[in-house]
Amino acid sequence: PSALWWKRGGTRKRAWCNSHLRKAGTQIENIEEDFRDGLKLMLLLEVISGERLAKPERGKMRVHKISNVNKALDFIAGKGVKLVSIGAEEIVDGNAKMTLGMIWTIILRFAIQDISVEETSAKEGLLLWCQRKTAPYKNVNIQNFHISWKDGLGFCALIHRHRPELIDYGKLRKDDPMTNLNTAFDVAEKYLDIPKMLDAEDIVGTARPDEKAIMTYVSSFYHAFSGAQKAETAANRICKVLAVNQENEQLMEDYEKLASDLLEWIRRTIPWLENRMPENTMQAMQQKLEDFRDYRRLHKPPKVQEKCQLEINFNTLQTKLRLSNRPAFMPSEGKMVSDINNGWGNLEGAEKGYEEWLLNEIRRLERLDHLAEKFRQKAAIHEAWTEGKEKMLQKHDFETASLSEIKALLKKHEAFESDLAAHQDRVEQIAAIAQELNELDYYDSPSVNARCQRICDQWDALGALTQKRSEALQRTEKLLETIDQLYLEFAKRAAPFNNWMEGAMEDLQDTFIVHTIEEIQGLSTAHEQFKATLPDADKERQAILGIHNEIAKIVQTYHVNMAGTNPYTTINPQEVNAKWDKVRQLVPQRDQALIEEHARQQNNERLRRQFANQANVIGPWIQTKMEEIGRISMEMHGTLEDQLTHLRQYEKSIVNYKPKIDQLEGDHQLIQEALIFDNKHTNYTMEHIRVGWEQLLTTIARTINEIENQVLTRDAKGITQEQLNEYRASFNHFDRDHSGTLGAEEFKACLISLGFDIANDAQKRSGIMDAEDFKTCLISVGYNLGENEFSRIMSIVDPNRMGIVTFQGFIDFMSRETTDTDTADQVTASFKVLAGDKNYILADELLRELPPDQAEYCMARMAPYTGPDAVPGALDYMSFSTALYGESDL
């Protein structure tokens, strides 16, 4: 090497040594001379290594100098550096070549060898560091440590990357290397404490600058900026920790709000369910029952979902806190998951009690209406019977009556007493019904009680008047001599028999309301017992009629002059026979009514079981099919055609199931026509089945359509099955709720995972980021994508602005971004090839080059060509091509 090379090399190495010796308060002027005694050489090694060497010799003799240099060389060798042909005597003798070689060995070991980037060698690591730091800068391409640095932009880019305020990089020009190099060297020396180890003229004027010199100088930048890199790493770590804390705090706030809202809803709902204020009418109670069913069907299900989501959020938050070494989240007092579960349990307890109370109240009101009607009927019959009885008992006709008339009056009164006693049961029944209405809290109890009290008071008055008249007649009984025993016997036997017949007619005409087979069977048993008494009653009737026949026989035999009817009773044989015939007519009518009601209850039970048996099968079947369809569309087994075939088989099996739904609809119609309002054999209603069936049909049709569209997209865009699987996997990963759609934030995260760089609207939209760019992008924006760029993408995938992205929209966008599409110009060029480079095409050429159906399609839609070179039959394929892509009218 020339002396100039040695001179410049010595200058650079001296500058490098002085940059470190300056820290120890000393400098060197000449490397060969100043290092001869070994003292400054040992000091330099202590500064750059941070370690203490052996104690140096302070003598001026040659042996002392050799000892010091050997100590330095031994230290260097102890660091794993192999010294070749470098001895202490050459250094002490001032051998320039050996001294500079030793300094380069020290630089290589302590300034460059410690540089490590991604487990590469020192030189490769330093080069990789330079490439990464200068990658964003235009006109900078670092590939080595010689010609890549000649224009000076590499040095300026390193400084601007770490200290952008020191250099205005935008004003630098690639064609002005001297300015660039001097700017970098001056700024590095002034602001970064990096000495000028290089000369701009030397670098520009040399075809291949000295690699070692540039490596030494660049390593100074690496060490100078290593502290800034550590600070950047620390800042990134802090940002990451803060981001985790912010996310956790947001989850805590969301939990607190959701828990408060849910607890407040429970607090408002429980008093409503605990309200047991009964209504007076069936209509009002049925309205309450309908309100309760609306609550169960419309209001409660969303709250069930909120409760489930609350528990999921709580568990997710606790997991995130545990994974990030944060303390567990403790909700506010009264908002723990256990508190919410307790409140929910109280809600369900109140709900269950409320439903039972509603049904009991409806049954009670139904019973009350029946009892009230029965009370009115019996009261009306009794009041009709007692009408005029007080006036009759208050007569004084016995005072002027003859003896026979007195006896007749006495006997008639005795018959009335029998009749009065027979009516005692009816009065007791009326009082018992009134008492039951009071016990069941009938709303019109005051009027019932008032009417019952009037009947009882009247009954007591009749008893007193009867007793008073009886005593008066008995006082005059001594005046009576003739008693018509037969009339009296007729009256005594006819009166209770007549009362029995009236009671029988009343019972046979009594209305009944039943809801179960057991109730109607009880009524039928009572009726059969009544019919068993009819033969004895008929014997009694024959006996009563026999008495009347005996009277007629006596009158005819003894020519007794009978004026009027039986003086002891108003009952006559014709009335007895008429009422008996009425009883006989009512018995088969009652039989028929009981039979019809029994058949109706049996049919109702059959309808309940028939509906329940089918609903308990169809309901789970629909749910199972929904889950299977979801798995087919999400699991990506096989090709799209396999999935489509599988789904169409499912669709066919579902459509074949429709007759069972129709059959269930028919059974439901029969239940509605029979006025059946409850079914203890199933929890499914027809409304549940209809909603599930419609959702099943919609889901399978939508899923098949999505797969068909994916096939069309794949074939039209040339997307491979592997790409589709990758898109589906990414889509499914961010579809957290398995709804088949992505929200805006989920879609944004999905794009980032696929490498889309949309963090900066001003950057080129290449659609792809390498690992370093992606990392820098996420850190710089805090995981928030640019609004303008993201709005552009959302307008493509969500043209209806619904705030969600379907998988089909996602596929269309990905195919648009990753594949080429045909254009009108390409189609026009293709037609021009078929036409032999003419501006028009003939029908024969179309038929020769295209399939017949497509050729006919083109000929039917192509306009005649009207250019100057037109021939008969020429067709304009240019306007046809632009119309295919909507650029003109077809």
Side-chain angles (χ1 to χ4, degrees):
S2 64
L4 179 62
W5 187 91
W6 282 111
K7 179 181 179 181
R8 291 176 177 173
T11 302
R12 295 168 188 150
K13 292 178 176 60
R14 184 186 65 201
W16 182 85
C17 293
N18 284 333
S19 68
H20 292 286
L21 288 173
R22 191 181 302 120
K23 301 175 184 177
T26 185
Q27 295 283 301
I28 61 174
E29 296 296 333
N30 185 284
I31 290 180
E32 296 87 342
E33 294 298 327
D34 292 345
F35 282 161
R36 289 180 65 182
D37 60 1
L39 293 177
K40 289 187 178 181
L41 178 60
M42 294 178 68
L43 182 61
L44 174 64
L45 290 173
E46 288 182 347
V47 171
I48 61 178
S49 67
E51 301 180 16
R52 296 290 296 176
L53 274 68
K55 185 177 180 180
E57 300 290 343
R58 297 294 179 179
K60 300 296 184 178
M61 298 178 65
R62 178 179 174 83
V63 66
H64 296 148
K65 295 178 182 180
I66 292 175
S67 176
N68 290 338
V69 173
N70 277 327
K71 290 178 181 179
L73 295 178
D74 290 342
F75 178 79
I76 295 173
K79 295 298 181 180
V81 179
K82 186 176 180 181
L83 299 173
V84 180
S85 301
I86 299 178
E89 291 80 1
E90 287 82 356
I91 304 300
V92 173
D93 293 337
N95 188 320
K97 180 178 179 180
M98 292 298 177
T99 302
L100 293 177
M102 179 190 65
I103 296 302
W104 169 246
T105 300
I106 292 173
I107 293 173
L108 187 62
R109 170 59 183 86
F110 294 99
I112 300 176
Q113 185 174 330
D114 289 339
I115 298 174
S116 178
V117 179
E118 296 185 359
E119 301 181 359
T120 60
S121 65
K123 179 179 178 181
E124 293 174 349
L126 183 60
L127 182 62
L128 179 59
W129 178 79
C130 294
Q131 290 172 343
R132 289 186 174 179
K133 293 301 180 180
T134 59
Y137 294 89
K138 62 181 180 179
N139 297 327
V140 178
N141 183 18
I142 305 300
Q143 299 296 329
N144 48 56
F145 285 109
H146 36 83
I147 60 175
S148 295
W149 303 87
K150 287 190 64 174
D151 59 7
L153 292 178
F155 296 111
C156 294
L158 284 177
I159 297 173
H160 185 267
R161 180 65 182 268
H162 296 89
R163 296 287 299 275
E165 74 280 3
L166 299 180
I167 292 180
D168 188 354
Y169 189 83
K171 294 182 178 180
L172 301 177
R173 302 198 317 272
K174 187 175 180 65
D175 58 356
D176 190 6
M178 291 295 294
T179 301
N180 299 339
L181 289 168
N182 287 323
T183 300
F185 297 159
D186 293 340
V187 170
E189 183 178 32
K190 182 177 180 179
Y191 296 102
L192 303 179
D193 198 24
I194 298 175
K196 289 186 178 180
M197 302 180 191
L198 303 175
D199 294 324
E201 296 83 356
D202 189 15
I203 294 176
V204 173
T206 304
R208 190 177 187 274
D210 182 29
E211 185 177 40
K212 294 181 179 180
I214 292 180
M215 283 182 62
T216 303
Y217 189 62
V218 171
S219 68
S220 300
F221 284 94
Y222 176 85
H223 291 292
F225 294 137
S226 60
Q229 187 171 1
K230 293 178 181 178
E232 182 181 357
T233 302
N236 291 340
R237 180 177 292 107
I238 292 173
C239 291
K240 182 178 180 181
V241 171
L242 293 179
V244 171
N245 278 359
Q246 289 172 341
E247 181 183 3
N248 292 340
E249 288 175 1
Q250 184 61 46
L251 288 175
M252 294 176 188
E253 293 177 3
D254 294 343
Y255 175 87
E256 291 283 342
K257 183 179 185 306
L258 189 57
S260 299
D261 294 344
L262 186 58
L263 288 172
E264 175 62 21
W265 179 79
I266 293 174
R267 185 190 64 78
R268 294 196 312 269
T269 305
I270 288 179
W272 174 66
L273 294 174
E274 290 177 344
N275 181 16
R276 300 295 191 270
M277 182 64 67
E279 300 291 343
N280 295 330
T281 63
M282 281 285 290
Q283 182 178 5
M285 287 306 298
Q286 287 175 344
Q287 182 59 46
K288 277 194 170 186
L289 181 60
E290 186 63 26
D291 293 341
F292 177 72
R293 288 173 176 168
D294 288 341
Y295 155 79
R296 291 285 296 272
R297 184 174 63 254
L298 302 176
H299 304 298
K300 184 180 177 182
K303 299 302 178 182
V304 173
Q305 294 295 329
E306 289 182 11
K307 177 177 176 292
C308 178
Q309 187 61 44
L310 188 69
E311 294 175 356
I312 292 173
N313 291 349
F314 181 80
N315 294 333
T316 301
L317 175 59
Q318 297 293 35
T319 300
K320 289 185 176 181
L321 290 173
R322 183 172 64 255
L323 293 177
S324 58
N325 294 322
R326 298 323 195 266
F329 169 59
M330 183 62 65
S332 303
E333 183 178 357
K335 296 181 182 178
M336 294 289 292
V337 174
S338 57
D339 297 327
I340 295 173
N341 288 333
N342 292 335
W344 194 265
N346 296 335
L347 174 71
E348 292 188 337
E351 178 182 315
K352 181 179 180 182
Y354 186 68
E355 185 176 18
E356 293 176 353
W357 174 76
L358 283 175
L359 296 176
N360 291 334
E361 277 298 304
I362 290 176
R363 295 189 185 98
R364 184 182 68 83
L365 289 176
E366 188 178 38
R367 174 67 176 166
L368 284 174
D369 290 346
H370 175 66
L371 289 175
E373 180 62 26
K374 193 171 184 178
F375 173 84
R376 287 190 289 269
Q377 287 183 359
K378 289 185 177 295
I381 293 173
H382 176 78
E383 289 169 349
W385 178 82
T386 59
E387 185 177 0
K389 293 295 188 294
E390 291 186 24
K391 184 177 181 181
M392 179 194 71
L393 292 173
Q394 291 174 350
K395 286 182 179 180
H396 295 278
D397 50 353
F398 58 87
E399 295 178 353
T400 58
S402 62
L403 182 58
S404 59
E405 292 173 341
I406 291 298
K407 290 183 178 181
L409 289 174
L410 183 59
K411 297 301 181 183
K412 184 177 181 180
H413 187 68
E414 290 176 354
F416 174 76
E417 287 180 330
S418 299
D419 195 11
L420 186 66
H423 279 77
Q424 179 69 32
D425 290 342
R426 181 178 290 111
V427 174
E428 292 176 353
Q429 290 176 5
I430 292 173
I433 294 174
Q435 179 64 28
E436 188 172 359
L437 288 172
N438 281 278
E439 292 175 353
L440 294 176
D441 196 19
Y442 182 53
Y443 76 96
D444 199 20
S445 293
S447 63
V448 171
N449 292 335
R451 189 172 184 181
C452 181
Q453 188 62 43
R454 289 196 302 270
I455 291 174
C456 292
D457 292 343
Q458 186 185 39
W459 183 258
D460 293 339
L462 286 176
L465 291 173
T466 300
Q467 181 65 26
K468 182 178 180 181
R469 184 175 177 82
S470 178
E471 293 173 353
L473 290 175
Q474 288 176 1
R475 284 193 300 269
T476 59
E477 185 179 9
K478 295 180 181 179
L479 301 175
L480 302 177
E481 296 179 349
T482 306
I483 299 175
D484 191 348
Q485 293 296 330
L486 294 175
Y487 271 135
L488 183 58
E489 184 179 359
F490 178 88
K492 287 183 177 181
R493 298 184 68 172
F497 185 72
N498 181 69
N499 185 66
W500 177 86
M501 288 190 297
E502 288 179 351
M505 288 188 294
E506 180 182 344
D507 292 339
L508 291 172
Q509 296 180 88
D510 189 16
T511 59
F512 56 83
I513 298 177
V514 295
H515 297 282
T516 63
I517 293 179
E518 290 75 13
E519 293 178 0
I520 192 63
Q521 287 176 345
L523 292 177
S524 299
T525 300
H527 183 61
E528 292 299 325
Q529 293 174 354
F530 167 76
K531 289 197 296 183
T533 65
L534 289 179
D536 293 336
D538 190 37
K539 292 179 181 179
E540 179 66 14
R541 182 183 67 84
Q542 294 294 339
I544 292 172
L545 293 177
I547 295 173
H548 181 268
N549 293 333
E550 185 66 21
I551 292 172
K553 183 178 179 181
I554 293 174
V555 170
Q556 184 179 3
T557 301
Y558 296 100
H559 305 287
V560 177
N561 184 15
M562 294 295 296
T565 59
N566 191 331
Y568 305 112
T569 181
T570 58
I571 301 173
N572 54 61
Q574 294 78 15
E575 184 178 352
V576 171
N577 286 329
K579 289 183 177 181
W580 176 255
D581 293 339
K582 182 64 174 178
V583 170
R584 296 299 298 271
Q585 291 175 2
L586 291 175
V587 168
Q589 295 177 7
R590 185 72 167 187
D591 286 336
Q592 185 62 30
L594 291 172
I595 290 172
E596 292 176 355
E597 183 61 29
H598 188 273
R600 190 175 75 85
Q601 290 300 327
Q602 285 182 326
N603 185 59
N604 288 352
E605 182 65 14
R606 180 185 62 79
L607 291 176
R608 289 188 184 97
R609 292 182 180 275
Q610 182 174 321
F611 180 86
N613 291 337
Q614 296 184 74
N616 289 336
V617 173
I618 293 175
W621 181 88
I622 291 176
Q623 183 62 31
T624 300
K625 291 300 179 183
M626 289 285 287
E627 295 173 356
E628 292 175 353
I629 292 170
R631 286 197 299 270
I632 292 173
S633 63
M634 299 291 287
E635 291 177 356
M636 304 178 295
H637 289 322
T639 64
L640 292 179
E641 286 75 8
D642 295 338
Q643 296 177 32
L644 192 59
T645 300
H646 201 179
L647 287 172
R648 283 174 174 162
Q649 292 174 354
Y650 265 80
E651 182 182 34
K652 183 177 181 181
S653 65
I654 290 170
V655 172
N656 292 337
Y657 205 78
K658 182 62 166 62
K660 295 186 179 180
I661 302 296
D662 296 338
Q663 183 179 357
L664 190 64
E665 286 281 5
D667 294 342
H668 178 66
Q669 180 66 27
L670 296 177
I671 285 178
Q672 288 186 321
E673 292 174 355
L675 300 178
I676 300 173
F677 302 105
D678 58 351
N679 192 341
K680 64 182 180 180
H681 304 298
T682 182
N683 293 326
Y684 291 99
T685 65
M686 195 62 226
E687 183 179 355
H688 294 154
I689 299 298
R690 289 193 195 107
V691 172
W693 177 252
E694 292 169 359
Q695 290 179 346
L696 179 60
L697 293 178
T698 302
T699 299
I700 186 64
R702 183 174 61 246
T703 304
I704 289 175
N705 179 254
E706 289 178 355
I707 300 300
E708 289 174 341
N709 289 338
Q710 292 174 27
V711 172
L712 292 176
T713 303
R714 181 200 64 189
D715 295 340
K717 304 297 184 179
I719 300 176
T720 65
Q721 185 66 38
E722 290 73 14
Q723 287 178 306
L724 284 176
N725 291 342
E726 179 186 359
Y727 297 156
R728 170 55 80 180
S730 298
F731 190 89
N732 291 347
H733 175 74
F734 291 95
D735 183 13
R736 313 288 190 198
D737 54 2
H738 303 290
S739 63
T741 61
L742 296 180
E745 292 303 321
E746 293 175 331
F747 178 58
K748 185 184 295 183
C750 184
L751 289 180
I752 292 175
S753 73
L754 291 172
F756 278 81
D757 181 7
I758 50 177
N760 191 336
D761 295 334
Q763 292 180 354
K764 178 181 178 181
R765 298 188 181 104
S766 64
I768 303 296
M769 293 186 292
D770 61 22
E772 187 64 20
D773 290 341
F774 181 55
K775 177 180 177 182
T776 304
C777 170
L778 294 181
I779 293 174
S780 65
V781 301
Y783 295 94
N784 290 321
L785 302 179
E787 292 300 328
N788 293 338
E789 175 65 9
F790 187 63
S791 297
R792 180 188 73 83
I793 295 176
M794 284 299 294
S795 66
I796 296 174
V797 299
D798 183 23
N800 297 326
R801 300 185 181 275
M802 299 176 65
I804 60 174
V805 180
T806 64
F807 182 65
Q808 183 59 42
F810 177 70
I811 288 294
D812 291 340
F813 170 74
M814 293 304 300
S815 64
R816 182 193 300 246
E817 295 293 322
T818 59
T819 61
D820 294 329
T821 57
D822 295 328
T823 65
D825 292 339
Q826 292 175 338
V827 175
T828 301
S830 298
F831 272 117
K832 194 164 188 177
V833 171
L834 298 183
D837 208 29
K838 299 190 300 292
N839 292 328
Y840 58 86
I841 194 168
L842 299 175
D844 294 340
E845 294 172 334
L846 289 173
L847 292 171
R848 182 179 67 249
E849 302 294 342
L850 297 179
D853 55 339
Q854 295 182 350
E856 292 294 338
Y857 177 85
C858 294
M859 290 187 293
R861 288 164 175 77
M862 282 187 182
Y865 179 70
T866 58
D869 54 344
V871 299
L875 298 175
D876 187 357
Y877 60 79
M878 295 183 183
S879 62
F880 175 78
S881 299
T882 57
L884 288 177
Y885 290 88
E887 300 176 9
S888 64
D889 296 330
L890 186 63

